[in-house]
Amino acid sequence: MKVLEDRIRQDGMILSNTVLKVDSFLNHQVDTELALAIGKELASIYADQPITKVLTIEASGIQFAMATGIALGVPFVYAKKKKAVTQSDKVYTAPVHSFTRGETYQVSVDQRYLGPNDRVLIVDDFLATGAALVGLVDIVRESGAQLVGVGCVIEKSFQEGRGLLEDKGVRVHSLARIASMKPGEVHFVHEENVVNEPQKETV
Ligand code: 5GP
């Protein structure tokens, strides 16, 4: 998605070879127009499949799951990281280790909001180690719902997440796939094998 790649180049801050900060437009302050465009794009990628629900994990996936749900005309559900007093005991759960926070959460989804009649698209902001998305895949499978696929905003393709999901037979689409990065420089997967045409000399 060109507009997203351009924005990552313009406003993303590459803190190290593995960590990209996008909190000025994606996951702290959110560019609402871009978030809605991301939702439309993810919905159009999966337009060949009937989908009844979008699933994400709090907090940074919520705006993209909502935008995708709006584009598809279906509800979205987000897995919770902490149990609330109002939450029922009938939940699907999975352990998820957070790459950015260094903690393991027991994430949960109320059993009333996911079940065998659902066809689910999972959406998240980042695909990195894949821990969060593998946890959501396990929750969908435990619920008996059918998993249509995963849609990610940014994939760090040099990390193992995509491979883990594909090994589980999951269809994965990401709107910006980063092949490599370092402070001040980012390379996307589709740019990797482009052979630069030699410049013609002009007289
Ligand atoms: P995972 O490692 O499970 O694929 O990533 C889980 C979560 O960690 C993502 O949903 C995202 O919120 C966060 N995350 C992973 N890598 C990055 C990164 O490079 N930058 C930011 N801002 N968040 C990240």
Side-chain angles (χ1 to χ4, degrees):
M1 188 180 180
K2 172 122 182 24
V3 66
L4 175 63
E5 291 181 352
D6 290 347
R7 194 65 182 275
I8 292 169
R9 282 219 159 94
Q10 187 188 305
D11 292 332
M13 288 173 63
I14 301 163
L15 301 185
S16 70
N17 292 9
T18 55
V19 181
L20 170 65
K21 189 167 162 142
V22 286
D23 68 350
S24 65
F25 62 104
L26 280 188
N27 61 14
H28 189 23
Q29 172 171 261
V30 178
D31 179 329
T32 48
E33 202 179 314
L34 179 61
L36 289 174
I38 284 169
K40 276 193 186 150
E41 186 73 16
L42 289 174
S44 76
I45 288 170
Y46 282 98
D48 60 331
Q49 296 284 328
I51 290 165
T52 64
K53 235 159 244 184
V54 177
L55 175 68
T56 191
I57 181 166
E58 65 177 352
S60 310
I62 289 179
Q63 58 275 33
F64 308 112
M66 177 153 166
T68 310
I70 290 170
L72 290 168
V74 300
F76 81 96
V77 177
Y78 62 92
K80 300 211 174 197
K81 286 181 176 162
K82 293 226 162 79
K83 193 175 184 322
V85 282
T86 50
Q87 204 173 333
S88 112
D89 287 332
K90 292 187 177 159
V91 290
Y92 304 114
T93 60
V96 168
H97 182 75
S98 163
F99 170 86
T100 43
R101 297 185 199 277
E103 282 176 56
T104 299
Y105 303 92
Q106 198 66 27
V107 304
S108 62
V109 173
D110 192 307
Q111 291 185 2
R112 287 175 298 167
Y113 305 132
L114 216 52
N117 294 329
D118 283 314
R119 294 181 52 87
V120 180
L121 173 62
I122 296 176
V123 164
D124 203 5
D125 61 339
F126 271 90
L127 172 55
T129 67
L133 289 168
V134 165
L136 293 184
V137 168
D138 290 345
I139 282 178
V140 171
R141 293 196 166 150
E142 192 190 340
S143 76
Q146 192 169 338
L147 179 62
V148 171
V150 162
C152 260
V153 182
I154 300 177
E155 172 184 319
K156 292 186 290 180
S157 303
F158 53 87
Q159 291 188 268
E160 65 273 35
R162 171 177 282 266
L164 285 180
L165 292 168
E166 288 179 343
D167 286 349
K168 284 177 163 278
V170 177
R171 179 177 165 191
V172 181
H173 286 279
S174 304
L175 302 184
R177 297 186 63 198
I178 298 176
S180 64
M181 61 186 193
K182 59 184 179 188
E185 218 177 295
V186 57
H187 297 282
F188 296 102
V189 167
H190 66 87
E191 300 166 336
E192 283 296 276
N193 295 318
V194 176
V195 179
N196 288 325
E197 291 287 321
Q199 296 289 314
K200 278 193 186 133
E201 274 183 39
T202 46
V203 275

